[in-house]
């Protein structure tokens, strides 16, 4: 027998559709898998291992990942909570009470969900501030800033629908105030409010709507926005900054470090740290349950969650319609801010006005929030 | 790859004052694994199980196989390390780096793994239903006058089953009307003074004992409830399953 | 930071997190899980009742579901069932039922309680028809004042509404209609159509029949209040009431067993002293069983078997107070009631008797101002003073009590009696004799020493100015 045996069929290189032939995997199982999932690992490694600028070694620059991680926590705990939650006005509160008091570890999951939502909003705001003050939203990243504003809005909407589901006093009266705010929108307000509430006033439809928004529509929306956000960010690469310290160190120093495993490990540290923090918060300050929603009894002092304090104070200062219009206007300004900034810089290239405007906005929001927090009514 | 396990045991003295020595005496102490530096003390009064694994893999940069060990690592002082013969200083550095890398990986995986296990256990406990609770209680059944002598009267119980309450003349009995054979409805035949199942002719005494037909063959009696008379009223003891 | 260091950080954070999770598990392990509440048992006949009544009277259905009865399978029909021969029975959706549930119905299960209640003063509350109070309500004020006022506490005598020809008025379904003057009524001495007396719902409000309702003072306060017998106000003024209001959360009012000193120690309520169990005696529904004086009439008397009754009450007192403390209280309480009798009640009574005997008053009650004055003296002010001291309410003993008694007696009753006497010497002699005792000696003027003492007191306490 001198004829050379043909190579076993499993050693023939696999070619993904429209790609280059892949080098055969080493093990038999590897080759079996490669034939079924023809992924170009080289390419994958290339795309997933982009070099990351050194400044990402500063913790301050790692905030972008935290909302995404907290969102994962929210998704996991949220799915678990929805196993016991009943979106019916007559049973919602009781089902939340049952999760908190009867179901094993229910109180823990609910507390984690609640704390994580608070941290998520805080993380989104911090991330946004970092991006703003470092000017990372500038050309060519304007669109990603706009997606970011969308994510911010979605996160707020998540928070609002979330605490409405508990169906305690704050839930009901918070939803009432939100409905009235929506009604104050000129022209379309009444229709919008009806659409949101599923009726003229808060009723059986409202809770179902909020529930579907909270567990269906908003998660889908935030996933899509998040995917776009990360995609754009990945395509542009991390914004590179000039640092005094780096300049001093000289050009021979490497300016980047690998995304995997170095940066992933940093994010892992943050992730585990967050999980630890959330657990501690959940044990020390577990999510309570206030009085059940009572449509006949408006509580004397009702306050929304802290992240809506500024809107609440603004509402009290300006009145319904003006507040709605001005908040809409500010929201729009925030959305198109990269273009405004561009226009300003075209006229006065050295202008630092954007930082000043940002500081003013942060101060204003902070003052409104603190004011509402300390005010008794 | 090598796996190992062992158990060190040395007796202690139950009562040091009784003049009886029950302690293990270690003539030449080899105690570093247990006490670290201290070799003045021999093994005594210890129980110490241990286990571990060693791994030999591609460790060196020169492609030469280098041993990489893992196992219960005790506090080590490099000054006290006895080098294996033939290992140069450079090789030692490589060996130690690899060991550190391996160790941190192992610890990280162990940490993340146990966290994942813990969280999954919690989630499972959360989703797994609580044990149903058996509740016993005595409930009001009827005024005693409502149960006619010699006739069975059915009462629906909260769990959906029916109790056939019968004044047999001598006694008040409450029996489940479900035949233990195949679940047909049993009725009281006043004339004969016993319970009959119409399906397969099962026959039961007044107290529910099976006397003929398939239930008697299988030795299955009618389920009996306790009935108590309080004043003019009858109360029945029921047991129900409640899912918390 | 090297990768290796990062991995070590991840590892240590993971173990930290794991420790936190263990704490979570420990917290979970220590959680008190509520025992599942058994579902309400709807009796065989009552399922149909609920089908309608959950829609038409949802509150009744819900309150019942919340009751102990619901847990025991005592539902609509068990209580509302009626015999064919019952006077108020009617056919409703195929069942013979009655609207009013009487103590006889409740007593078919709660025999002992019903028996105790039957012997109590409470069950006889509607038997006041011949009394002056009833004349006042029904005649002087008007029948509606009696129906909506007096009878709502004392209890009505249930009667059917009548047609012009005297037959019982019925609705379309044949249900006999009750006289609206007599029903709705939860007066405690209600005379029911089956002849039984009382209304358990007076204290155990339907349809939840919570023990807690009957244990808290407000339920008694529906009737035991106001100018003639302000027991609830006296209680609220007393240390007992203050303690209750302050520590209401610690009262364990819902507990099945409610023994003073065992199940609760925060404060006593009306029920605690007059009815509820102590460590030595069981609960009683004979509410007067621990009362030794009657403070109701003009002249207070010790009740039959008063020593035994007092021992029962003292047993309650001794749960919280030392024997000397209790003995001292009873010494002054008895003496105060005696003082009322001797100083005001007996003299006033004698004057009234003399006036009547001499024909100076008409036989008709309440047609002369003096009769109103006398009535206020003993029925309102005199009772306030006596009840005030009996339940340790200082203000009701004195300012709302003896102060008003004194004013009424000296400056309203006696002058009016003199006027009514029209110079009748016999009456004048009785009035003079009444005021002759040493207690009334002060009327003849205080001694200079006494005046000097009062003067000195004011000088010292409020200064020279006030001494005038």
């Amino acid at each position: 027998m001198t004829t050379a045996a043909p190579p076993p069929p499993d050693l023939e290189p696999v070619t993904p559709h429209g790609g280059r032939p892949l080098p055969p995997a080493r093990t038999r199982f590897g080759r079996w898998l490669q034939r079924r999932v023809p992924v170009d690992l080289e390419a994958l490694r290339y795309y997933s291992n982009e070099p990351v600028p050194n400044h990402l070694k500063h913790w301050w620059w790692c905030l972008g990942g935290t909302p995404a991680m907290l969102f994962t926590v929210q998704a996991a705990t949220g799915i678990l909570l929805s196993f016991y939650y009943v979106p019916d006005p007559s049973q919602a509160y009781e089902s939340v009470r049952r999760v908190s008091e009867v179901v094993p570890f229910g109180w823990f999951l609910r507390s984690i969900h609640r704390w994580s939502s608070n941290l998520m909003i805080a993380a989104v705001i911090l991330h946004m501030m970092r991006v703003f003050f470092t000017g990372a939203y500038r050309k060519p990243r304007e669109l990603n800033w706009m997606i970011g504003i969308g994510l911010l809005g979605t996160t707020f909407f998540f928070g609002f629908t979330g605490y409405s589901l508990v169906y305690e006093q704050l839930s009901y009266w918070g939803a009432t105030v939100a409905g009235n705010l929506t009604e104050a929108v000129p022209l379309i307000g009444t229709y919008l409010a009806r659409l949101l509430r599923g009726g003229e006033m808060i009723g059986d439809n409202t809770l179902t709507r909020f529930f579907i928004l909270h567990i269906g529509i908003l998660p889908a929306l935030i996933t899509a926005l998040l995917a776009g956000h990360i995609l754009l960010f990945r395509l542009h690469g991390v914004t590179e900054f000039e640092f005094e310290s780096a300049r001093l160190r000289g050009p021979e120093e490497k300016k980047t470090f690998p995304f995997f495993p170095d940066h992933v490990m940093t994010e892992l540290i943050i992730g585990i740290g967050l999980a630890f923090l959330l657990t501690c918060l959940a044990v020390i300050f577990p999510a309570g349950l206030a009085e059940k929603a009572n449509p006949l009894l408006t509580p004397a002092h009702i306050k929304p969650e802290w992240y809506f304090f500024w809107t609440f104070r603004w509402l009290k200062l300006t009145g319904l319609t003006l507040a709605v219009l001005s908040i809409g206007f500010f929201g729009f300004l925030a959305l198109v801010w990269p273009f405004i900034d561009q226009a300003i810089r075209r006229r006065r290239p050295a202008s630092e006005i954007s930082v000043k405007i940002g500081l003013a906005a942060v101060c204003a929001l902070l003052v409104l929030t603190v004011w509402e927090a300390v005010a008794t009514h | 790859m090598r796996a190992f396990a062992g158990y060190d045991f040395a007796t202690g003295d139950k009562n040091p004052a009784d003049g009886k020595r029950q302690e293990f005496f270690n003539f030449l102490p080899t105690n570093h694994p247990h006490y670290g530096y201290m070799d003045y003390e021999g093994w005594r009064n210890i129980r110490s199980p241990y286990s571990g694994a060693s791994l030999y893999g591609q460790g060196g940069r020169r492609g030469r196989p280098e041993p990489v060990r893992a196992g219960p690592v005790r506090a080590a002082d490099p000054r006290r390390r006895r080098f294996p013969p033939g290992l140069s200083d450079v090789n030692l550095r490589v060996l130690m780096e690899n060991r550190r890398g391996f160790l941190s990986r192992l610890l990280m995986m162990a940490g993340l793994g146990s966290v994942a296990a813990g969280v999954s256990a919690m989630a499972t406990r959360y989703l797994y239903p609580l044990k149903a609770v058996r509740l016993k209680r005595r409930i009001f059944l009827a005024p005693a006058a409502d149960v006619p002598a010699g006739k069975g009267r059915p009462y629906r119980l909260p769990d959906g089953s029916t109790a056939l309450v019968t004044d047999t003349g001598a006694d008040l009995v409450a029996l489940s009307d479900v035949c233990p054979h195949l679940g047909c409805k049993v009725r009281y035949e006043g004339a004969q003074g016993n319970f009959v199942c119409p399906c397969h002719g099962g026959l039961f005494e007044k107290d529910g004992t099976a006397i003929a037909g398939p239930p008697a063959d299988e030795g299955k009696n009618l389920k009996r409830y306790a009935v108590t008379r309080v004043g003019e009223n009858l109360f029945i003891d029921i047991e129900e399953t409640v899912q918390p | 930071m090297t990768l290796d260091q990062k991995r070590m950080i991840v590892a240590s954070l993971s173990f930290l997190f794991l420790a936190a999770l263990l704490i979570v598990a420990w917290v979970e392990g220590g959680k008190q899980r509520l025992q599942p509440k058994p579902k309400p048992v709807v009796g065989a006949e009552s399922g149909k009742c609920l089908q309608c009544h959950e829609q038409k009277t949802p509150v009744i259905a819900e309150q019942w579901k919340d009751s102990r009865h619901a847990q025991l399978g005592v539902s609509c029909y068990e209580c509302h069932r009626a015999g064919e021969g019952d006077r108020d029975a009617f056919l409703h959706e195929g069942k013979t039922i009655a609207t009013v549930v009487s103590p006889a119905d409740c007593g078919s299960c709660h025999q002992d309680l019903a028996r105790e209640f039957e012997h109590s003063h409470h069950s006889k509350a509607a038997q006041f028809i011949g009394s002056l109070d009833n004349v006042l309500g029904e005649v002087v004020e008007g029948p509606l004042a009696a129906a909506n006022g007096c009878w709502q506490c004392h209890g009505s005598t249930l009667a059917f509404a009548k047609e012009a020809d005297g037959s019982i008025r019925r609705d379309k379904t044949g249900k006999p209609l009750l006289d609206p003057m007599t029903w709705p009524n939860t007066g405690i001495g209600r005379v029911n159509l089956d002849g039984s007396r009382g209304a358990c719902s007076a204290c155990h409000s339907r349809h939840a029949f919570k023990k807690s309702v009957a244990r808290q003072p407000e339920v008694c306060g529906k009737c035991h209040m106001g100018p003639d017998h302000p027991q609830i106000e006296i209680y609220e003024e007393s240390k007992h009431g203050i303690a209750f209001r302050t520590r209401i959360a610690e009262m364990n009012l819902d507990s099945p067993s409610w023994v003073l000193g065992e199940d609760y120690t925060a404060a006593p309520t009306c029920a605690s002293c007059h009815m509820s169990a102590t460590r030595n005696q069981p609960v009683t529904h004979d509410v007067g069983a621990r009362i030794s004086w009657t403070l109701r009439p003009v002249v207070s008397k010790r009740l039959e078997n008063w020593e035994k009754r007092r021992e029962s009450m003292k047993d309650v007192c001794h749960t919280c107070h030392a024997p000397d403390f209790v003995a001292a209280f009873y010494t002054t309480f008895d003496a105060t009631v005696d003082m009322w009798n001797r100083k005001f009640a007996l003299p006033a009574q004698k004057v009234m008797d003399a006036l009547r005997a001499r024909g100076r008053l008409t036989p008709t009650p309440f047609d002369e101002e003096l009769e109103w004055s006398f009535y206020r003296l003993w029925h309102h002010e005199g009772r306030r003073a006596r009840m005030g001291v009996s339940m340790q309410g200082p203000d009701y003993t004195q300012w709302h009590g003896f102060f008003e008694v004194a004013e009424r007696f000296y400056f309203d009753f006696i002058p009016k009696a003199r006027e009514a006497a029209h110079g009748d010497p016999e009456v004048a002699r009785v009035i003079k004799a009444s005021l002759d005792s040493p207690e009334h000696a002060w009327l003849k003027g205080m001694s200079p020493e006494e005046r000097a003492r009062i003067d000195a007191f004011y000088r010292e306490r409020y200064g020279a100015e006030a001494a005038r």
Side-chain angles (χ1 to χ4, degrees), chain A residues 3-17:
Chain A
T3 47
D10 115 326
L11 277 177
E12 266 178 34
V14 183
T15 312
H17 185 71

PDB file of all heavy atoms in Angstrom, chain A residues 3-17:
ATOM      1  N   THR A   3      -0.169   4.134  -1.834  1.00  0.00           N
ATOM      2  CA  THR A   3      -0.959   5.366  -2.067  1.00  0.00           C
ATOM      3  C   THR A   3      -1.223   6.059  -0.735  1.00  0.00           C
ATOM      4  O   THR A   3      -1.617   5.456   0.249  1.00  0.00           O
ATOM      5  CB  THR A   3      -2.302   5.049  -2.738  1.00  0.00           C
ATOM      6  OG1 THR A   3      -2.877   3.953  -2.038  1.00  0.00           O
ATOM      7  CG2 THR A   3      -2.137   4.714  -4.174  1.00  0.00           C
ATOM      8  N   ALA A   4      -0.930   7.341  -0.747  1.00  0.00           N
ATOM      9  CA  ALA A   4      -1.147   8.138   0.476  1.00  0.00           C
ATOM     10  C   ALA A   4      -2.636   8.274   0.741  1.00  0.00           C
ATOM     11  O   ALA A   4      -3.415   8.555  -0.170  1.00  0.00           O
ATOM     12  CB  ALA A   4      -0.524   9.538   0.325  1.00  0.00           C
ATOM     13  N   ALA A   5      -2.981   8.029   1.982  1.00  0.00           N
ATOM     14  CA  ALA A   5      -4.409   8.159   2.348  1.00  0.00           C
ATOM     15  C   ALA A   5      -4.826   9.632   2.275  1.00  0.00           C
ATOM     16  O   ALA A   5      -4.047  10.505   2.660  1.00  0.00           O
ATOM     17  CB  ALA A   5      -4.638   7.639   3.763  1.00  0.00           C
ATOM     18  N   PRO A   6      -6.024   9.907   1.734  1.00  0.00           N
ATOM     19  CA  PRO A   6      -6.491  11.307   1.695  1.00  0.00           C
ATOM     20  C   PRO A   6      -6.686  11.797   3.127  1.00  0.00           C
ATOM     21  O   PRO A   6      -6.971  10.993   4.018  1.00  0.00           O
ATOM     22  CB  PRO A   6      -7.826  11.209   0.936  1.00  0.00           C
ATOM     23  CG  PRO A   6      -8.293   9.813   1.102  1.00  0.00           C
ATOM     24  CD  PRO A   6      -7.050   8.963   1.275  1.00  0.00           C
ATOM     25  N   PRO A   7      -6.491  13.086   3.343  1.00  0.00           N
ATOM     26  CA  PRO A   7      -6.657  13.602   4.726  1.00  0.00           C
ATOM     27  C   PRO A   7      -8.078  13.310   5.215  1.00  0.00           C
ATOM     28  O   PRO A   7      -9.017  13.333   4.407  1.00  0.00           O
ATOM     29  CB  PRO A   7      -6.409  15.099   4.572  1.00  0.00           C
ATOM     30  CG  PRO A   7      -6.616  15.396   3.124  1.00  0.00           C
ATOM     31  CD  PRO A   7      -6.286  14.129   2.379  1.00  0.00           C
ATOM     32  N   PRO A   8      -8.176  12.964   6.477  1.00  0.00           N
ATOM     33  CA  PRO A   8      -9.536  12.705   6.997  1.00  0.00           C
ATOM     34  C   PRO A   8     -10.413  13.930   6.757  1.00  0.00           C
ATOM     35  O   PRO A   8      -9.917  15.062   6.850  1.00  0.00           O
ATOM     36  CB  PRO A   8      -9.326  12.455   8.501  1.00  0.00           C
ATOM     37  CG  PRO A   8      -7.931  12.854   8.806  1.00  0.00           C
ATOM     38  CD  PRO A   8      -7.164  12.896   7.514  1.00  0.00           C
ATOM     39  N   PRO A   9     -11.694  13.697   6.427  1.00  0.00           N
ATOM     40  CA  PRO A   9     -12.543  14.822   6.009  1.00  0.00           C
ATOM     41  C   PRO A   9     -12.612  15.912   7.072  1.00  0.00           C
ATOM     42  O   PRO A   9     -12.815  17.080   6.750  1.00  0.00           O
ATOM     43  CB  PRO A   9     -13.909  14.169   5.794  1.00  0.00           C
ATOM     44  CG  PRO A   9     -13.852  12.857   6.493  1.00  0.00           C
ATOM     45  CD  PRO A   9     -12.418  12.448   6.510  1.00  0.00           C
ATOM     46  N   ASP A  10     -12.339  15.501   8.265  1.00  0.00           N
ATOM     47  CA  ASP A  10     -12.547  16.502   9.314  1.00  0.00           C
ATOM     48  C   ASP A  10     -11.393  17.478   9.400  1.00  0.00           C
ATOM     49  O   ASP A  10     -11.474  18.499  10.031  1.00  0.00           O
ATOM     50  CB  ASP A  10     -12.923  15.716  10.553  1.00  0.00           C
ATOM     51  CG  ASP A  10     -12.003  15.736  11.734  1.00  0.00           C
ATOM     52  OD1 ASP A  10     -10.782  15.804  11.670  1.00  0.00           O
ATOM     53  OD2 ASP A  10     -12.567  15.679  12.762  1.00  0.00           O
ATOM     54  N   LEU A  11     -10.265  17.181   8.671  1.00  0.00           N
ATOM     55  CA  LEU A  11      -9.143  18.114   8.685  1.00  0.00           C
ATOM     56  C   LEU A  11      -9.216  19.154   7.573  1.00  0.00           C
ATOM     57  O   LEU A  11      -8.409  20.061   7.519  1.00  0.00           O
ATOM     58  CB  LEU A  11      -7.832  17.336   8.575  1.00  0.00           C
ATOM     59  CG  LEU A  11      -7.321  16.782   9.916  1.00  0.00           C
ATOM     60  CD1 LEU A  11      -6.059  15.977   9.699  1.00  0.00           C
ATOM     61  CD2 LEU A  11      -7.088  17.900  10.913  1.00  0.00           C
ATOM     62  N   GLU A  12     -10.188  18.987   6.698  1.00  0.00           N
ATOM     63  CA  GLU A  12     -10.324  19.975   5.621  1.00  0.00           C
ATOM     64  C   GLU A  12     -10.704  21.326   6.205  1.00  0.00           C
ATOM     65  O   GLU A  12     -11.566  21.415   7.067  1.00  0.00           O
ATOM     66  CB  GLU A  12     -11.430  19.531   4.653  1.00  0.00           C
ATOM     67  CG  GLU A  12     -10.890  18.756   3.477  1.00  0.00           C
ATOM     68  CD  GLU A  12     -11.983  18.285   2.545  1.00  0.00           C
ATOM     69  OE1 GLU A  12     -12.974  19.054   2.417  1.00  0.00           O
ATOM     70  OE2 GLU A  12     -11.863  17.181   2.007  1.00  0.00           O
ATOM     71  N   PRO A  13     -10.026  22.355   5.736  1.00  0.00           N
ATOM     72  CA  PRO A  13     -10.299  23.670   6.333  1.00  0.00           C
ATOM     73  C   PRO A  13     -11.746  24.112   6.092  1.00  0.00           C
ATOM     74  O   PRO A  13     -12.331  23.840   5.047  1.00  0.00           O
ATOM     75  CB  PRO A  13      -9.317  24.618   5.649  1.00  0.00           C
ATOM     76  CG  PRO A  13      -8.799  23.875   4.478  1.00  0.00           C
ATOM     77  CD  PRO A  13      -8.995  22.414   4.704  1.00  0.00           C
ATOM     78  N   VAL A  14     -12.301  24.775   7.067  1.00  0.00           N
ATOM     79  CA  VAL A  14     -13.665  25.298   6.984  1.00  0.00           C
ATOM     80  C   VAL A  14     -13.579  26.733   6.512  1.00  0.00           C
ATOM     81  O   VAL A  14     -12.710  27.488   6.933  1.00  0.00           O
ATOM     82  CB  VAL A  14     -14.338  25.265   8.369  1.00  0.00           C
ATOM     83  CG1 VAL A  14     -15.766  25.745   8.279  1.00  0.00           C
ATOM     84  CG2 VAL A  14     -14.249  23.879   8.952  1.00  0.00           C
ATOM     85  N   THR A  15     -14.482  27.102   5.624  1.00  0.00           N
ATOM     86  CA  THR A  15     -14.506  28.489   5.162  1.00  0.00           C
ATOM     87  C   THR A  15     -15.863  29.105   5.494  1.00  0.00           C
ATOM     88  O   THR A  15     -16.874  28.667   4.966  1.00  0.00           O
ATOM     89  CB  THR A  15     -14.290  28.561   3.637  1.00  0.00           C
ATOM     90  OG1 THR A  15     -13.170  27.744   3.326  1.00  0.00           O
ATOM     91  CG2 THR A  15     -14.059  29.988   3.185  1.00  0.00           C
ATOM     92  N   PRO A  16     -15.870  30.081   6.391  1.00  0.00           N
ATOM     93  CA  PRO A  16     -17.157  30.731   6.671  1.00  0.00           C
ATOM     94  C   PRO A  16     -17.649  31.439   5.430  1.00  0.00           C
ATOM     95  O   PRO A  16     -16.847  31.821   4.569  1.00  0.00           O
ATOM     96  CB  PRO A  16     -16.827  31.742   7.771  1.00  0.00           C
ATOM     97  CG  PRO A  16     -15.439  31.477   8.190  1.00  0.00           C
ATOM     98  CD  PRO A  16     -14.765  30.688   7.108  1.00  0.00           C
ATOM     99  N   HIS A  17     -18.952  31.610   5.348  1.00  0.00           N
ATOM    100  CA  HIS A  17     -19.576  32.243   4.188  1.00  0.00           C
ATOM    101  C   HIS A  17     -18.958  33.617   3.970  1.00  0.00           C
ATOM    102  O   HIS A  17     -19.027  34.499   4.827  1.00  0.00           O
ATOM    103  CB  HIS A  17     -21.084  32.362   4.434  1.00  0.00           C
ATOM    104  CG  HIS A  17     -21.803  32.890   3.242  1.00  0.00           C
ATOM    105  ND1 HIS A  17     -21.965  32.155   2.092  1.00  0.00           N
ATOM    106  CD2 HIS A  17     -22.401  34.077   3.026  1.00  0.00           C
ATOM    107  CE1 HIS A  17     -22.627  32.872   1.217  1.00  0.00           C
ATOM    108  NE2 HIS A  17     -22.916  34.050   1.762  1.00  0.00           N
TER     109      HIS A  17
END
